[in-house]
Amino acid sequence: MDLDRELNPQQTEAVLHEGGPLLVLAGAGSGKTRALTYRIAHLVLHRGIAPWNILAITFTNKAAEEMRLRVRRLLGTEKTGIWVGTFHATCARILRQHIERLGYRKNFVIYDTADQLRVIKSSLKRLRVDAKQVRPVAIQNLLDKAKNQGIDPALLVPQQSPTGRIIEEVVADYKRRLEEANALDFGDLIVLALRLFETCPDVRASYREKFHSILVDEYQDTNRAQHLLLQQIASEGGELCVVGDDDQSIYRWRGADVNNLLAFEKDFPGTRVIALEENYRSTQTILRAADAVARGNPNRRGKRLWTRNEVGDRLVYEETMTPDEEATSIAREIQRLATELDIPYRSIGVFFRTNAQSRPFEERFLLLRIPHAVIGTMRFYERAEVKDLLAYLRFLYNPDDSVSLLRILNQPLRGIGPTTQATLQAYADEQATSLWGGIEHALEKGILSGASRGRLERFQGLIRILNQGFENHGSPEILLKTVVAQTGYKTFLEGKEDGERRLENVEEFVHTASLFQAMEEEAPGRETLGAFLQRIALVSDIDQYEDRANCVSLMTLHCAKGLEFPVVFLTGMEDGILPHQRSYTSPEALAEERRLCYVGMTRAKKKLYMSRACYRSIYGERQQTDPSPFLASIPPDVIDFRDAEDEFDEIDDADPIGIDAGNGDSVLDYGESQLDRPPLPPMPSSGRKQTYRIGERVEHETLGIGTVRNVEGTGYKEKITVQFKVGKIRKLMVQVSPLKKSS
DNA sequence: CCTCGGTGATTTTTT
DNA sequence: ATCACCGAGG
């Protein structure tokens, strides 16, 4: 390991730093992963720190895997003993050891978002609350928000609101249900680890001692709870090193708080700050354009990213009429790149803001036979058949997991339907036990009658057989095979729609289990199953993303974080799509959209394309679009305007629309481009401003008070979408509707 | 108990 | 456009 030759001075400094906290501000493509892995290697090889005294936190499991690999290569050994993982995985690992100290049983399961929603819905039902009155996702958001901040969800229940009491009850019931099921949601993993350290000083002390050296990647995307956790385990004598980039903070909606990064020195006094500003990834042109976009935001730490790379090509911006044409045009360009320039498909990334935008690309690419992979849609473990089987495993691991039990009770069908389930649930509630506890109790006491009793007994018998198999060899693979065989799951699938495909998924799942088995070193048993389930609960699809196949990668901007491609297509550069409609609710949300744009742009190494469709269907309704305001920030001399129609007239009286954070002299700095112009009649040259803004309150003669959700068009074509208090959503023509502004 | 069709609501990003 | 939920009929 030759530091001087392989690292720049700032990276070297980050690697060598000893003692107090270290904050590395690492711009896009500045080789931060390199610095991090070298730092780890240096700790072990030259400073005599034992690998098991090192904790490295990454943002995704994929990043963890990669770091593990790189560290292994540097250290030259297979088993390093270093803890590398996401916050969630790390906390799960800690809790697996000590959760009994918090009154939970050791065999806890992890509830994902869907499981969480099931619990909330059943709580609502139990409390006889109409799901329309209190939306389940609203509860879910509240729970999430609280746990991300490390506070009790009860504290976030709105006190004034008429539904406050109900929400309070649901939140309390949710908590009870999860405890009863011995289940933790994602937020709990962090919060409970935090509580473990707070309430058990001895445990905390042991981890403080263990983790002499802690490294955290993507620090800008940590939330409050994670920050607190770090404060708990980072010891005074130890070394804490965090790496991040405030310009790439894109998970605010998930509770991430850039202030963790911005105010790091305040929370950890004596911090040394190092900035990595040399970019090794992109051309000068791409960097210049991206930097200009980033500058549109206030409150940045600010940095000067530079590169020794070539100037490179200008960016290409293209407008088409529809998303289909956008996809067609990009598909053709990709073909051209592949044939004329010999660019392999795998070096091309196509990004979009929302998953829903991927469809036209998939269709076009399929048609033109462009090999492609959509990253991050319909995760494997979310497919019904996989979830079913997983539920069996989870239930066998933890019989109190009622969500899983409810899923498998009648799957495959065995005549234990909703009615029976409700009866059983009511009985279990009465007995203050989990659903399975209630069922066993009911069977024992002979409370149930006739048919359903027999069916339940048969189910109980099945579970007994499975449990026996589990005791004999707890290997997930064998257990899974037993489940499939004993339940007749394959037969169950055969008749169904898409049966073939689903059977394949079952096979694949079994295969995954066998791979997992092969990785484990200990003899299979309860622990193995627990570890297997935990892994499944915490991996996402980007983690599975393998770039060995020569495919064009289609993904959302969020998925693209941390990746790079020689050629990038940034699509849907439209106001309302790239700054997403919903981000107009707050300046912070809007700033995040700009960062998202920045992240997308900085993924590109050589070529960056941006595009927009002038019309897009939203809610299945065709709407005109405006160019993304972010385009206005890009200096005109680095961008080529390519027009599908190839007509290019000047507009003289156009008003810039939306927020204008640009320097005002961009080619793209007009509100509407040629293609927007309606054929007839021509727009009047005056009165083209929008008179309403999103979020404004309005009063309608018959519909009453409402809030503006969307504004489209200007002048006599101005239309607003209003959500009225009475619950209706209406789209109204401003000029003709009996409307007035209200306060 | 299942399937079908209508209804209404709902749209960001995911550990 | 798509999905979840509900009630009616098989």
Side-chain angles (χ1 to χ4, degrees), chain A residues 614-618 621-625 710 712 731:
Chain A
C614 297
Y615 293 89
R616 191 174 289 273
S617 292
I618 300 169
E621 220 179 335
R622 196 177 160 90
Q623 294 189 357
Q624 232 181 68
T625 71
N710 193 16
E712 316 153 42
K731 197 172 195 173

Side-chain angles (χ1 to χ4, degrees), chain A residues 397-429:
Chain A
Y397 181 67
N398 169 13
D400 293 319
D401 177 354
S402 304
V403 169
S404 292
L405 176 55
L406 279 174
R407 185 169 185 109
I408 61 176
L409 211 41
N410 203 27
Q411 204 83 302
L413 305 175
R414 46 178 78 88
I416 308 174
T419 320
T420 317
Q421 289 178 11
T423 316
L424 293 167
Q425 184 65 65
Y427 183 72
D429 286 350

Side-chain angles (χ1 to χ4, degrees), chain A residues 335-347:
Chain A
Q335 275 183 328
R336 193 184 72 81
L337 293 172
T339 53
E340 288 177 25
L341 301 178
D342 259 336
I343 294 177
Y345 292 118
R346 67 150 62 79
S347 46

Side-chain angles (χ1 to χ4, degrees), chain A residues 395 399-400 402 405 424 427-428 431-444:
Chain A
F395 173 71
D400 293 319
S402 304
L405 176 55
L424 293 167
Y427 183 72
Q431 302 287 317
T433 164
S434 70
L435 181 56
W436 182 240
I439 291 175
E440 294 220 292
H441 193 266
L443 285 174
E444 211 173 292

Side-chain angles (χ1 to χ4, degrees), chain A residues 149-382:
Chain A
Q149 294 178 62
I151 62 175
D152 186 340
L155 295 174
L156 288 190
V157 174
Q159 292 304 312
Q160 317 301 346
S161 148
T163 50
R165 274 216 61 76
I166 299 172
I167 296 175
E168 200 171 339
E169 281 182 59
V170 177
V171 166
D173 192 58
Y174 173 85
K175 185 168 180 235
R176 246 194 46 235
R177 291 291 149 185
L178 256 68
E179 279 168 4
E180 182 182 88
N182 201 31
L184 312 188
D185 60 30
F186 286 135
D188 287 337
L189 289 172
I190 313 291
V191 169
L192 289 185
L194 194 54
R195 202 199 298 159
L196 175 71
F197 290 138
E198 282 165 356
T199 56
C200 309
D202 56 314
V203 176
R204 189 182 75 166
S206 74
Y207 279 100
R208 279 194 165 191
E209 196 174 331
K210 174 171 173 56
F211 297 132
H212 167 269
S213 202
I214 301 173
L215 303 94
V216 187
D217 197 4
E218 307 280 12
Y219 197 67
Q220 76 281 354
D221 285 323
T222 55
N223 61 38
R224 191 76 205 146
Q226 291 166 340
H227 182 80
L228 294 172
L229 189 74
L230 219 48
Q231 284 185 313
Q232 288 289 325
I233 52 170
S235 63
E236 269 102 67
E239 291 181 348
L240 173 63
C241 163
V242 307
V243 183
D245 179 3
D246 51 323
D247 287 331
Q248 293 187 65
S249 154
I250 54 173
Y251 282 93
R252 205 185 70 99
W253 52 273
R254 208 173 79 186
D257 187 354
V258 212
N259 286 317
N260 288 344
L261 183 82
L262 295 175
F264 186 80
E265 298 112 300
K266 232 179 283 162
D267 291 312
F268 295 91
T271 293
R272 171 73 173 283
V273 182
I274 297 172
L276 303 184
E277 295 182 313
E278 175 168 6
N279 172 293
Y280 296 97
R281 181 184 295 149
S282 311
T283 63
Q284 288 180 30
T285 304
I286 289 168
L287 224 49
R288 220 181 120 207
D291 185 63
V293 169
R295 275 167 198 271
N297 272 343
N299 304 329
R300 298 172 60 223
R301 264 194 100 120
K303 59 171 137 349
R304 251 208 314 277
L305 221 46
W306 63 280
T307 182
R308 286 176 226 265
N309 293 341
E310 56 180 349
V311 174
D313 298 340
R314 298 209 283 178
L315 319 196
V316 176
Y317 173 71
E318 182 179 58
E319 294 190 335
T320 56
M321 290 303 279
T322 65
D324 280 334
E325 284 174 27
E326 182 185 27
T328 306
S329 168
I330 288 174
R332 286 211 190 106
E333 182 67 8
I334 289 175
Q335 275 183 328
R336 193 184 72 81
L337 293 172
T339 53
E340 288 177 25
L341 301 178
D342 259 336
I343 294 177
Y345 292 118
R346 67 150 62 79
S347 46
I348 300 172
V350 178
F351 305 159
F352 31 78
R353 173 70 239 264
T354 68
N355 274 313
Q357 287 164 250
S358 75
R359 173 90 54 92
F361 294 102
E362 292 178 66
E363 285 169 4
R364 281 352 238 173
F365 287 10
L366 212 55
L367 208 64
L368 293 180
R369 299 185 196 287
I370 295 173
H372 63 280
V374 191
I375 316 295
T377 49
M378 192 49 170
R379 307 168 177 204
F380 182 69
Y381 295 113
E382 278 170 19

Side-chain angles (χ1 to χ4, degrees), chain A residues 550-569:
Chain A
N550 190 15
C551 284
V552 173
S553 297
L554 298 173
M555 66 186 86
T556 64
L557 285 164
H558 283 86
C559 276
K561 190 175 85 158
L563 305 177
E564 60 178 28
F565 296 89
V567 181
V568 164
F569 290 88

